[in-house]
Amino acid sequence: MNVEIHFPNATEVATHLDALVELLKDSVDNGASVGFLPPLEDAEARAYWEGVVAALGSPSRGLALARVDGRVAGTAQLVEADKANARHRAEVSKVLVHSAFRRRGIGAALMRALEERAWERGKRTLVLDTLEGAPSEQLYQSLGWIRAGVIPQYAQTADGALHSTVIYYKLLRDSG
């Protein structure tokens, strides 16, 4: 398996819209809690990715794209804080791995790439949230992320149930 991870610009991301729509739909329909409910419609997924393409015009947004043998296998985003007292931090969001490629280290590779990108851009504190009990918790913990707390009844699932979300953080290297 040949995994390639890079940070494409908005123009390149736009060329992958169909594959990204399919990735988001697959992720949501397979239980990912990333702000959408299943079944996710093509139009809603496409509108989301078009918004990401527009946001990539800003230097404060980065998208890591994982491809396996040329096929889009996953993505993760880095959203940098822009307030004066927050320029040292960023949020990791929408870590997605297509179900056909899970359990192959792609999520970990995406996270490592985001962490390196954040470090290069002067970020020292990263945060993210995930559904409590989701498989992603194991991934984040294995990469040294620290569980900061739980917010009850934060995310709703398709059946209407409310679930807790967990906030994680990671301090990159020794920032003093």
Side-chain angles (χ1 to χ4, degrees):
M1 180 175 77
N2 180 24
V3 180
E4 173 197 343
I5 296 179
H6 72 289
F7 288 85
N9 62 29
T11 302
E12 183 182 347
V13 172
T15 68
H16 295 291
L17 274 181
D18 289 341
L20 292 167
V21 165
E22 205 269 313
L23 170 65
L24 182 57
K25 287 181 60 170
D26 174 78
S27 296
V28 170
D29 292 348
N30 281 290
S33 178
V34 290
F36 302 94
L37 293 174
L40 182 60
E41 298 294 325
D42 283 0
E44 186 177 4
R46 183 168 298 278
Y48 168 75
W49 284 113
E50 288 171 348
V52 170
V53 167
L56 287 172
S58 163
S60 65
R61 175 72 66 101
L63 175 91
L65 179 70
R67 290 190 297 181
V68 174
D69 300 325
R71 182 175 169 201
V72 171
T75 64
Q77 295 177 53
L78 185 68
V79 182
E80 300 178 19
D82 61 357
K83 302 294 185 225
N85 74 339
R87 292 190 183 122
H88 65 287
R89 68 180 188 242
E91 179 180 358
V92 171
S93 71
K94 303 291 189 282
V95 180
L96 307 172
V97 177
H98 194 283
S99 61
F101 296 102
R102 290 194 183 142
R103 311 304 272 163
R104 298 184 190 183
I106 294 169
L110 283 164
M111 291 298 292
R112 286 188 199 101
L114 279 186
E115 290 173 16
E116 187 60 35
R117 170 78 164 226
W119 178 262
E120 290 168 358
R121 295 190 51 79
K123 307 307 169 193
R124 299 300 178 257
T125 304
L126 298 180
V127 297
L128 61 79
D129 68 90
T130 193
L131 197 65
E132 186 173 36
S136 54
E137 278 202 272
Q138 291 176 336
L139 169 66
Y140 303 139
Q141 290 171 6
S142 75
L143 295 170
W145 286 73
I146 298 167
R147 187 176 174 149
V150 177
I151 302 172
Q153 300 182 14
Y154 188 81
Q156 186 175 16
T157 52
D159 63 2
L162 298 177
H163 298 271
S164 298
T165 196
V166 183
I167 309 298
Y168 281 89
Y169 73 91
K170 187 168 188 179
L171 303 178
L172 299 179
R173 301 184 188 152
D174 182 19
S175 59

